[in-house]
Amino acid sequence: MTDESPMPLGDLHSHLVPGVDDGARTLDESLEAVGLMQEAGIGRIVTTPHLRASLLQDREAAEERIGQVETAFHRLEAALADGYPEVELARGFEIKLDVPDPDLDDPRVRMAGTPFVLVEWPRLRVPPGTSAVLSRIRASGWIPIVAHPERYHGLDAELRMPRAWRQAGALLQVNHGSVVGRYGGEARSRALHLLQAGVVDYLSSDHHPRPGHGLDVEAVRSFFREAEAEESFERMTAVNPSRLLAGELPVEVPGFTVRRGLFGRLGDMLGGRN
């Protein structure tokens, strides 16, 4: 990729559909969030409202929930066509795996209708048997992406569990905010551990629009620039999201070493947030 033809950033995890979960409450909040994303260089968005996997076991309830989300999403789509026509918007769900064998056959629950599906564990805790669950999802023909692996409680210091998820065929998506301490020091430490090991496939915002709740893209970009790991940033935020939308597996993301002293400068970027 050259500077003359930069690939737009892609964001694969956000809560922009108005009025359907704990994200944007109104269409105005959704549009404001899209404007912030565009200013940060994000031109491709797959927004992901919450959905419980157990709901998919009840066809009538699932249709009601998916229909509610699709109606609100189409309102957002129409508004973007007027105000932000250059932004590419698609939809998936962030599926809470509250049952071990979710039915993911309906393309409407996957990421932009691709084989990829964004999943999370309930209450930010890891239940038993997660690797087997992910392995069965992969064997069914779908490609699970585990949302924010750095934020789950009870992981060991070497983060063997997220590595086991990758070995089971899952991909990993770290939040921008974790890199810069938005969720505290422990989540930041885990995020950096995974990034340095080269086992993260996507970086996304997990943005929940709220007044005064901005984005961390520029601070994260600065961190990767300071770490001399701009290629890793580009692959996780531009190349791999683009490949997902084409139904293609991500390219490998190089690991890197965070030089001593960079953590202090990262604290300066945060302005004391962590």
Side-chain angles (χ1 to χ4, degrees), residues 11 13-14 16 29 32-37 39-40 42 176-178 180 182-183 204-220 273:
D11 192 284
H13 184 179
S14 64
L16 307 184
E29 284 187 353
E32 182 180 356
V34 171
L36 289 174
M37 288 181 162
E39 289 174 10
I42 296 171
H176 296 155
S178 296
V180 296
R182 184 177 290 277
Y183 309 104
S204 295
S205 68
D206 193 4
H207 187 47
H208 290 64
R210 288 289 182 271
H213 186 174
L215 295 171
D216 299 301
V217 181
E218 286 309 312
V220 173
R273 180 188 299 157

Side-chain angles (χ1 to χ4, degrees), residues 191-212:
L192 297 181
H193 183 122
L194 295 169
L195 288 164
Q196 290 178 84
V199 296
V200 179
D201 302 283
Y202 309 100
L203 269 174
S204 295
S205 68
D206 193 4
H207 187 47
H208 290 64
R210 288 289 182 271

Side-chain angles (χ1 to χ4, degrees), residues 10 34 51 65 72 74 79 89 101 108 148 157 203 222 232-233 264:
V34 171
L51 177 67
R65 170 61 175 163
H74 292 322
L89 180 70
D101 292 296
R108 296 176 297 173
H148 42 64
L203 269 174
S222 295
S232 296
F233 177 82

